């Protein structure tokens, strides 16, 4: 049923078209948190009578417990909540509008929601690292044919690939953490863009919400989404890079190569060709990562033409941020599951270790070192022997074992054990950060008054 909201435009179609209410389900609880802390501040300042503040808190708490429902006819969750307060309490419910703008409240809510999602994503990436490291340790020196330009290049191990993906994931976690510091600051109390006359102590409000600081400038605090762009950009950069491994998997799963096996649950057959075992999970994950790039591009496209102060286009960018974070968490978990069941198909790898001269580079290096001839000459000599089908390669396993310089396949297992310990500690740290955030937020919603 359509009801005209507090600020209604008078047209149902227009309100439905411009409303963010459906998307606001994502920040419902967080919007209430911002309202609660704002109200606490108004009460402390003596701007709102204590009994009114208590009654308002009661309604907001109930709303938080019940969740968002209905709301057809409202521009957004902020208007919906204020209307609900006025409906239940009469004009007294209108106190919450004092010194508040939806602009500072929505920026606060997005940051609260995003910081939680970032911690959850950090947890998922840590689990992926755990899967990669354990799998690499178990696979040990199981050989793999490393390729460049999609051509057989050098012998390595599957573990070496997995540990490369682990290092990428560690680098991403550092970026995520630095973005977390950017996100975890409070815009609350900034008003629409230039502050308000009520004189809120913005530092105190930030502290109550467990933010580590304040976004100082009020126009920056309300009008900017740099924190969201920066986070989504780094997430998409990670997904793009990690997703390249899916292309290796797909290639290795081609029956012509069959270098690896995955758990059959990640393969699908064809409805017409009974012999097919298509890498369904890998393909869908790649597509989802492509979509994440689309969502990020949407954010850039929406933000680019806007002035510095708030414009309603910003509301439309937020949804894409949640999409990026959702795809990141889901993909990370799915990739971890694929990795846990990843096996080397040794006969196929051995077949191609014999079929292709993947120790040619090392043979030339050895020749250059042992005969003390310039490498270019050695390179030419090995190329000639390959052309004449006279190439006698080195033993691939010995080649892998023989390389001891940092980061080479055989050196990585010890480093994997060290990394696994770090990941365990990291998981505990993220868990305690999540708990701290939850405790602070529960305190705001459940606190006395
Ligand atoms: N719903 C908006 C958003 O999600 C906040 C409202 C700002 N509206 C306004 N007229 N200034 O960004």
């Amino acid at each position: 049923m359509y009801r005209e909201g507090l600020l209604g435009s008078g047209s149902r179609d227009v309100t439905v078209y411009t409303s963010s209410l459906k998307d606001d389900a994502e920040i419902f609880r967080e919007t209430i948190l911002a309202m609660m802390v704002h109200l606490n501040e108004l009460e402390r300042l003596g701007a709102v009578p204590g009994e009114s503040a208590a009654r308002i808190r009661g309604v907001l708490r109930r709303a938080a417990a019940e969740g968002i429902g209905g709301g057809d006819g409202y521009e957004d969750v902020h208007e919906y909540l204020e209307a609900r307060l006025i409906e239940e309490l009469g004009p007294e419910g209108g106190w919450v509008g004092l010194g508040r703008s939806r602009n500072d409240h929505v920026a606060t809510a997005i940051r609260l929601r995003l910081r939680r999602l970032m911690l959850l994503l950090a947890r998922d990436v840590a689990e992926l690292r755990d899967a990669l490291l354990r799998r690499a340790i178990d696979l040990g020196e199981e050989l793999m044919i490393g390729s460049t330009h999609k051509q057989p290049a050098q012998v390595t191990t599957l573990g070496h690939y997995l540990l490369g993906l682990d290092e990428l994931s560690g680098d991403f976690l550092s970026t995520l953490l630095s973005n977390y510091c950017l996100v975890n600051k409070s815009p609350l109390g900034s008003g629409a863009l230039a502050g308000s006359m009520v004189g809120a102590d913005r530092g105190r409000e930030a502290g109550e919400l467990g933010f580590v600081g304040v976004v100082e400038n009020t126009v920056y605090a309300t009008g900017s989404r740099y924190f969201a762009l920066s986070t989504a950009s780094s997430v998409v950069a990670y997904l793009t890079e990690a997703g390249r491994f899916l292309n290796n998997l797909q290639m290795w799963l081609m029956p012509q190569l069959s270098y690896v096996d995955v758990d059959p649950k990640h393969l699908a057959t064809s409805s017409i060709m009974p012999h097919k075992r298509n890498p369904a999970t890998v393909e869908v994950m790649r597509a989802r990562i492509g979509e994440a790039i689309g969502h990020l591009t949407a954010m850039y496209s929406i933000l680019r033409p806007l002035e510095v102060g708030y414009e309603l286009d910003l509301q439309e960018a937020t949804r894409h941020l949640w999409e990026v974070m959702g795809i990141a968490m889901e993909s990370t978990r799915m990739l971890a599951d694929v990795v846990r069941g990843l096996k080397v198909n040794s006969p196929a790898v051995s077949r191609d270790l014999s079929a292709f001269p993947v120790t040619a580079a090392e043979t030339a290096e050895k020749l250059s070192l042992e005969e003390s001839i310039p490498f270019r000459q050695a390179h030419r000599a090995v190329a000639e022997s390959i052309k004449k089908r006279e190439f006698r390669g080195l033993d691939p396993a010995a080649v892998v074992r023989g390389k001891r310089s940092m980061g080479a396949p055989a050196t990585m297992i010890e480093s994997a054990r060290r990394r696994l310990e770090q990941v365990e500690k990291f998981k505990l740290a993220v868990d305690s950060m999540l708990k701290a955030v939850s405790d602070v937020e529960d305190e705001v919603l459940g606190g006395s008054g």
Side-chain angles (χ1 to χ4, degrees):
M1 183 200 53
Y2 178 70
R3 276 190 328 194
E4 187 60 45
L6 269 185
L7 311 161
S9 68
S11 156
R12 178 182 204 282
D13 289 349
V14 171
T15 304
V16 168
Y17 181 68
T18 57
S19 174
S20 62
L21 210 92
K22 218 163 19 77
D23 298 325
D24 289 346
E26 189 79 32
I27 52 165
F28 183 63
R29 186 171 177 276
E30 287 75 12
T31 303
I32 293 175
L33 284 168
M35 265 191 167
M36 283 285 220
V37 166
H38 173 65
L39 183 74
N40 295 346
E41 189 61 12
L42 290 176
E43 187 186 358
R44 268 192 225 106
L45 293 165
V48 171
E51 314 85 72
S52 299
R55 280 190 286 269
I56 292 171
R57 268 194 285 273
V59 176
L60 288 178
R61 267 188 208 123
R62 223 170 333 108
E66 286 165 12
I68 197 165
D72 192 15
Y74 296 104
E75 286 180 17
D76 53 30
V77 63
H78 316 274
E79 190 198 10
Y80 164 78
L81 284 167
E82 186 173 338
R84 180 164 173 175
L85 286 167
I86 291 171
E87 197 177 288
E88 294 195 25
L89 303 174
E92 175 179 67
W95 272 119
V96 287
L98 178 63
R100 175 207 67 170
S101 162
R102 290 180 287 175
N103 299 352
D104 72 325
H105 277 229
V106 77
T108 305
I110 296 169
R111 284 169 182 267
L112 288 172
R113 181 71 186 143
L114 182 56
R115 80 175 173 190
R116 177 180 293 272
L117 294 178
M118 289 168 89
L119 293 175
L120 292 172
L121 176 59
R123 200 66 178 67
D124 288 336
V125 175
E127 285 301 340
L128 170 60
R129 292 192 64 184
D130 184 279
L132 289 163
L133 292 164
R134 286 181 196 279
R135 201 71 208 102
I137 291 168
D138 287 350
L139 285 165
E141 291 183 354
E142 287 271 14
L143 299 182
M144 172 54 71
I145 293 174
S147 54
T148 58
H149 308 268
K150 294 198 168 62
Q151 299 186 19
Q154 281 185 295
V155 60
T156 179
T157 62
L158 180 58
H160 195 225
Y161 272 98
L162 300 185
L163 295 174
L165 198 48
D166 170 68
E167 190 165 343
L168 163 70
S169 304
D171 283 347
F172 167 63
L173 287 175
S174 313
T175 315
L176 191 65
L177 231 47
S178 91
N179 274 305
Y180 187 82
C181 299
L182 184 67
V183 170
N184 198 20
K185 292 196 285 188
S186 175
L188 196 62
S190 294
L193 94 154
S196 98
M197 302 293 288
V198 306
D201 180 336
R202 296 191 53 214
R204 190 160 54 191
E205 291 181 322
E208 233 179 300
L209 287 168
F211 284 120
V212 296
V214 168
V215 187
E216 190 176 342
N217 184 297
T218 55
V219 67
Y220 176 56
T222 51
S224 171
R225 292 293 180 269
Y226 176 64
F227 68 95
L229 266 187
S230 175
T231 302
S233 299
S234 75
V235 167
V236 170
Y238 171 62
L239 290 179
T240 301
E241 276 289 323
R244 290 174 57 185
F245 184 63
L246 301 171
N247 304 327
N248 283 73
L249 280 181
Q250 196 191 28
M251 183 167 72
W252 295 338
L253 284 165
M254 284 168 64
Q256 296 92 320
L257 297 186
S258 333
Y259 292 165
V260 298
D261 289 316
V262 292
D263 190 302
K265 73 182 169 186
H266 292 299
L267 302 172
T269 190
S270 150
S271 65
I272 181 168
M273 298 167 284
H275 65 290
K276 293 298 288 291
R277 290 165 82 241
N278 301 325
T281 306
V282 164
E283 289 171 354
V284 169
M285 211 187 303
R286 264 199 321 208
R288 296 286 285 150
I289 291 171
E291 280 182 67
I293 296 173
H295 288 297
L296 178 66
T297 307
M299 291 174 72
Y300 277 101
S301 309
I302 291 169
L303 282 153
R304 199 197 56 76
L306 306 187
E307 69 138 309
V308 165
Y310 186 94
E311 300 194 64
L312 198 52
D313 314 47
L314 286 179
Q315 149 182 307
E316 301 300 302
T318 308
R319 171 184 344 115
H320 299 286
L321 174 64
W322 309 138
E323 289 284 350
V324 167
M325 297 304 286
I327 291 171
M329 288 189 278
E330 172 189 82
S331 306
T332 308
R333 277 186 234 133
M334 208 34 88
L335 183 55
D337 197 70
V338 170
V339 165
R340 279 189 207 101
L342 196 58
K343 292 197 192 96
V344 177
N345 182 12
S346 306
V349 172
S350 301
R351 175 199 68 213
D352 281 357
L353 285 173
S354 315
F356 299 101
V358 287
T359 58
E362 290 81 0
T363 307
E365 282 179 348
K366 203 164 168 244
L367 192 61
S368 174
L369 287 169
E370 288 178 0
E371 309 292 320
S372 203
I373 55 171
F375 181 74
R376 195 51 56 219
Q377 255 167 269
H379 184 283
R380 212 171 295 131
V382 171
E384 273 310 304
S385 75
I386 292 170
K387 230 178 271 161
K388 292 194 200 131
R389 299 176 186 280
E390 286 166 3
F391 174 67
R392 295 267 164 280
L394 302 171
D395 169 22
V399 162
V400 164
R401 232 174 290 124
K403 290 182 196 163
R404 304 304 310 175
S405 55
M406 183 190 267
T411 67
M412 290 298 293
I413 298 296
E414 295 137 53
S415 127
R417 288 187 219 284
R418 244 184 301 117
R419 284 161 180 272
L420 198 54
E421 275 170 36
Q422 289 166 2
V423 169
E424 290 305 317
K425 282 193 203 130
F426 179 84
K427 277 198 251 174
L428 294 177
V430 174
D431 285 347
S432 68
M433 285 167 87
L434 267 168
K435 182 168 184 315
V437 158
S438 297
D439 287 352
V440 158
E441 294 179 2
D442 291 350
E443 169 89 23
V444 169
L445 286 180
S448 63

